Amino acid sequence: MNDPILVTRSSMPPINDYIKEIESLWDTHHLTNMGEKHHALQTRLKDYLGVQQIDLLTNGHMALELSMQALGLTGEVITTPFTFASTTQAIVRNGLKPVFSDVNPDDFTLDVTKIEECITDKTSAIIPVHVYGNVCNIEEIERIAKKYHLKVLYDAAHCFGVRYKNRGIGAFGDISCFSFHATKVFNTIEGGAVCFHENCFGKKLSALKNFGFYDGIAYELGVNAKMNEFCAAMGLCNLRYIEEEILKRKIIADRYRSYLDGVSGLRLSPIQKDVLQNYAYFPVVFDENLFGRNRDQVIEELSKYNIFARKYFYPLTSTFPCYGNQYSPDTTPVALRLSHQILTLPLYPELDLKDVDRICEILLRCKR
Ligand SMILES: *Cc1c(COP(=O)(O)O)cnc(C)c1O
C-alpha cells in the first residue's frame, strides 16, 4: 500500500531559515504584542499583496469577525452558504443575520443576479467569498453595493497571491480578509490578515485585536487576536518561497486538467479571464447521470488506495446544527446541489506528478 495522500500538506521553509529568523527573539524576549517580526511581515505583505493597509491577526476567522465589528455592520448581510464554517459563524457571532444568496454553478461564487432580491431596509453589507481562489464578479458587486449604500467585505481566505486585472485581490471591496492557516497557500502556522483602505478603520481594528485598548484603557469591547512573533517569523520564511510554491501548484493543477478536462460528467473550476490564479484547490463537480458514479462513490474508491479527497464544501453552512433549522438550503438550490457533487482533490506543492497520474487513473476507472 502506498503512503496516504491527504488533500493538503502544509508548506514549511527549510528548518535553518526558521531558526535563523527566530534567533533574535532570544535577544529581545519580545515574543508577541506587535514586535519586529509582526512589523516586518506586515510591511512585506502589504507590498506583496498590493494593498493600502493591512493588519495581522491570530487567524482568518478573527480577521472576519473583528472586521465586521470594526465596520459597525448591523441587521442583515447577504452572503453565501457555500463556504467554510467560519464565514457564517463570524456573521452570526456579530449578532448579524446571514441572508443566504445562491451561487453560480460554474465558478461557485455569489450569483450577482440574485443579490438584489435579497436586499431589505435592514441590509448593511455583502459578504462574498472568492471560493477556491475563484474571483467573484467584483464589478457587479461594487455596482450593487454603491446603489444600495452597502459595505463589501470579501472572505479572501482562499486567494492569497491571486491578482485580478493586475491588482492584488485584497485591494477590492471595503475590506478583504485572508487566512494564513497551515493548510492555506501561504501560512503563518495559524494567522490571518485584514486588508483595507481607510486609516480610521485600522485604529479601531488594532484596538479590537488587543482587548479594545487605546493607551491601556478598553474603549471597545475587544478580544485578544494578536499575531505572535513566532507565527510572523514563519510567515517571513514562507513568503520567500511563495512564487515557487504557486508555480509548483500550477504544474500539478495543469496535470489534473490534462486528464480530467472534457471528460463527460466532470466539471472543473473555470480558468477565469483577467485572473492570475494561485491554484489553491482542485475541485471537481460530478454529474452522476453522465459519469455513472456519484461523488461519494468516488471518495470511497480513492480511499481504497489510501488517497483522501475532501467533500469541500459539504454540508452548506446554512444547515449546520448550531443554527437549528433557521435557514433552509432550498433557498439556494445551486449551492445545495454543488455541495453534494463537489470533491476537492489532493493538491500541495510537493505532491508528486506520478501520484497525480495515479489519482486521475483511479478516478477515470470509476466512470461507467
Ligand atoms: C480557512 C478559512 C477561513 C478561516 O480561517 P482560519 O485561519 O482557519 O481561521 C475562513 N473562510 C474560509 C473560506 C476559509 O477557507
Side-chain angles (χ1 to χ4, degrees), residues 12-22 234 237 240-241:
M12 295 173 84
I15 189 167
N16 286 328
D17 277 30
Y18 189 64
I19 291 170
K20 205 165 151 226
E21 191 65 53
I22 60 172
M234 188 69 159
C237 295
R240 291 182 201 129
Y241 299 92

Side-chain angles (χ1 to χ4, degrees), residues 207-321:
L208 285 175
K209 77 169 189 181
N210 189 24
F211 305 102
F213 283 158
Y214 292 86
D215 294 329
I217 308 289
Y219 285 93
E220 306 276 358
L221 188 58
V223 295
N224 178 2
K226 306 179 296 276
M227 179 182 284
N228 71 58
E229 292 292 276
F230 288 82
C231 289
M234 188 69 159
L236 286 167
C237 295
N238 276 333
L239 195 57
R240 291 182 201 129
Y241 299 92
I242 191 71
E243 293 295 334
E244 284 167 50
E245 296 275 290
I246 292 176
L247 184 61
K248 285 182 192 163
R249 287 177 173 276
K250 174 178 168 27
I251 292 167
I252 293 161
D254 286 349
R255 187 79 150 218
Y256 271 129
R257 216 167 256 285
S258 73
Y259 278 91
L260 306 179
D261 200 15
V263 173
S264 137
L266 301 187
R267 220 152 38 72
L268 309 182
S269 222
I271 295 173
Q272 294 180 302
K273 199 171 157 284
D274 298 323
V275 173
L276 187 71
Q277 289 181 260
N278 68 354
Y279 309 93
Y281 301 92
F282 200 90
V284 180
V285 182
F286 290 84
D287 180 336
E288 184 174 2
N289 295 329
L290 293 171
F291 194 71
R293 294 283 192 98
N294 65 33
R295 187 264 315 264
D296 292 352
Q297 290 167 327
V298 174
I299 293 182
E300 184 60 32
E301 189 61 21
L302 286 169
S303 70
K304 287 183 194 156
Y305 295 87
N306 235 357
I307 296 161
F308 300 97
R310 187 169 165 204
K311 293 187 208 179
Y312 198 62
F313 296 99
Y314 173 85
L316 297 182
T317 62
S318 50
T319 68
F320 278 132

Side-chain angles (χ1 to χ4, degrees), residues 28-93:
T28 62
H29 287 240
H30 195 159
L31 309 185
T32 185
N33 284 16
M34 287 69 77
E36 56 163 330
K37 304 298 173 190
H38 184 288
H39 189 71
L41 184 62
Q42 202 167 11
T43 307
R44 254 164 250 175
L45 283 176
K46 197 155 103 176
D47 183 48
Y48 180 78
L49 295 171
V51 295
Q52 283 182 13
Q53 316 263 358
I54 186 167
D55 202 352
L56 308 179
L57 294 97
T58 41
N59 55 56
H61 178 82
M62 289 317 295
L64 286 168
E65 198 170 312
L66 295 185
S67 52
M68 287 175 206
Q69 187 181 351
L71 268 181
L73 301 185
T74 56
E76 301 174 0
V77 300
I78 295 165
T79 189
T80 166
F82 190 70
T83 182
F84 183 58
S86 172
T87 323
T88 309
Q89 287 182 334
I91 292 168
V92 175
R93 290 176 59 84

